[in-house]
Amino acid sequence: MNDENLDIPQPDPSWDYYLTYHRLIKAKSQLNQLIKDISELEASSADSDELINENLFDLTSLLDDTRIPIEPPDES
């Protein structure tokens, strides 16, 4: 875990949002790494654009998988 996450309390594994929390921490870490990688590029290239897009796809897939399904209330 990086220093940025040291200020965030570690949740109890029985917490309802435990998996969501860890997925968001993972997404945050991936986003921070992508920002760092991009900041080190001198110029754009087809290879770097492809790598950026692959990372963005992975990140958005992770966030999509993190969504919490919401069921309509039972009206019976």
Side-chain angles (χ1 to χ4, degrees), residues 16-17 19-20 23 63-73:
D16 291 342
Y17 293 113
L19 290 177
T20 302
R23 288 176 181 154
L63 290 172
D64 282 340
D65 291 345
T66 303
R67 289 180 188 269
I68 300 168
I70 299 174
E71 306 214 4

Side-chain angles (χ1 to χ4, degrees), residues 2-15:
N2 62 27
D3 292 340
E4 248 178 56
N5 295 331
L6 291 177
D7 293 336
I8 301 173
Q10 292 303 302
D12 181 333
S14 65
W15 181 38

